[in-house]
Amino acid sequence: MFTGIIETLGIVKNIVQEGENFHITIESNITNELKIDQSIAHDGVCLTIVKINGTEYTVTAIKETLDKSNLKHLEIGAKINLERAMILGARLDGHIVQGHVDQTAICTNVIEEDGSWVFTFDYDSSYNNITIEKGSITVNGTSLTVVNSKQHSFSVAIIPYTYEVTNFHTFKKGTVVNLEFDVIGKYVAKLLEK
């Protein structure tokens, strides 16, 4: 489990394809605190550390993960949001995040306001995922509050701190991002289907 509060940024140093899997090597300032078998959210995707070498560590993304996330679009040098799993008994500063990406979205607009930014994202609503006004959404692993919720799009307002310490400062029109919809909302939607 995660909170959606990004701990640090990592830099993609290498990507090796083996069959349908991607082995992704990331340089991070928290690598010295990590261990093999530990789960970390990478742009909101929960992946297991399989190798550590100095300031770099490696994770493996399988086909299922690549099909549902933006990790298939990663390039060497890309900045990636990182969050270690939450500690039981610690504060839940964001919202309950599983690290299981539901689908991707495309950034369709970035508006710089006086001291903040508003990002708009479009997503395929045929997956039956929904947002609600003032509800929670995870974009690239970042816990955010939805504004301007529509059937296939939504916006989020970003404060300067979040803009700087996450990879939001790299987003532009056309950027593909990972979405994890609110887990409670997903259960409610599933119950209503029945």
Side-chain angles (χ1 to χ4, degrees), residues 111-144:
I111 299 171
E112 186 174 351
E113 297 187 334
D114 190 19
S116 65
W117 292 262
V118 175
F119 291 83
T120 301
F121 301 96
D122 281 3
Y123 63 94
D124 182 351
S125 59
S126 69
Y127 291 102
N128 294 326
N129 291 313
I130 60 166
T131 60
I132 60 168
E133 201 75 21
K134 305 298 183 240
S136 296
I137 186 80
T138 305
V139 177
N140 272 9
T142 307
S143 174
L144 299 165

Side-chain angles (χ1 to χ4, degrees), residues 51-66:
K51 181 180 175 186
I52 297 174
N53 185 15
T55 61
E56 299 177 355
Y57 67 91
T58 303
V59 294
T60 300
I62 62 172
K63 183 182 185 311
E64 168 76 9
T65 302
L66 296 170

Side-chain angles (χ1 to χ4, degrees), residues 2-174:
F2 302 92
T3 65
I5 303 299
I6 302 307
E7 188 170 352
T8 191
L9 287 171
I11 305 294
V12 176
K13 301 305 274 185
N14 196 20
I15 302 169
V16 175
Q17 186 169 357
E18 179 183 22
E20 293 185 334
N21 297 341
F22 280 14
H23 303 291
I24 306 163
T25 300
I26 297 159
E27 182 178 58
S28 165
N29 62 4
I30 61 170
T31 301
N32 65 331
E33 301 173 37
L34 304 178
K35 62 182 182 173
I36 292 175
D37 291 335
Q38 194 170 22
S39 294
I40 296 205
H42 300 78
D43 273 357
V45 180
C46 180
L47 297 171
T48 302
I49 298 171
V50 297
K51 181 180 175 186
I52 297 174
N53 185 15
T55 61
E56 299 177 355
Y57 67 91
T58 303
V59 294
T60 300
I62 62 172
K63 183 182 185 311
E64 168 76 9
T65 302
L66 296 170
D67 286 347
K68 288 192 174 174
S69 72
N70 69 354
L71 296 184
K72 62 184 160 281
H73 303 297
L74 279 179
E75 296 178 354
I76 305 298
K79 293 180 180 178
I80 191 164
N81 292 331
L82 301 176
E83 179 191 0
R84 288 182 277 187
M86 64 185 272
I87 300 168
L88 269 156
R91 285 189 182 96
L92 180 61
D93 291 323
H95 71 280
I96 297 171
V97 178
Q98 295 178 299
H100 304 157
V101 170
D102 294 304
Q103 66 184 94
T104 59
I106 297 173
C107 182
T108 57
N109 201 11
V110 179
I111 299 171
E112 186 174 351
E113 297 187 334
D114 190 19
S116 65
W117 292 262
V118 175
F119 291 83
T120 301
F121 301 96
D122 281 3
Y123 63 94
D124 182 351
S125 59
S126 69
Y127 291 102
N128 294 326
N129 291 313
I130 60 166
T131 60
I132 60 168
E133 201 75 21
K134 305 298 183 240
S136 296
I137 186 80
T138 305
V139 177
N140 272 9
T142 307
S143 174
L144 299 165
T145 301
V146 172
V147 296
N148 198 20
S149 175
K150 298 189 174 161
Q151 184 174 355
H152 61 82
S153 72
F154 65 92
S155 298
V156 292
I158 305 296
I159 63 173
Y161 177 82
T162 303
Y163 184 81
E164 291 300 323
V165 302
T166 69
N167 59 7
F168 268 83
H169 61 271
T170 67
F171 294 2
K172 57 186 180 283
K173 283 185 183 179

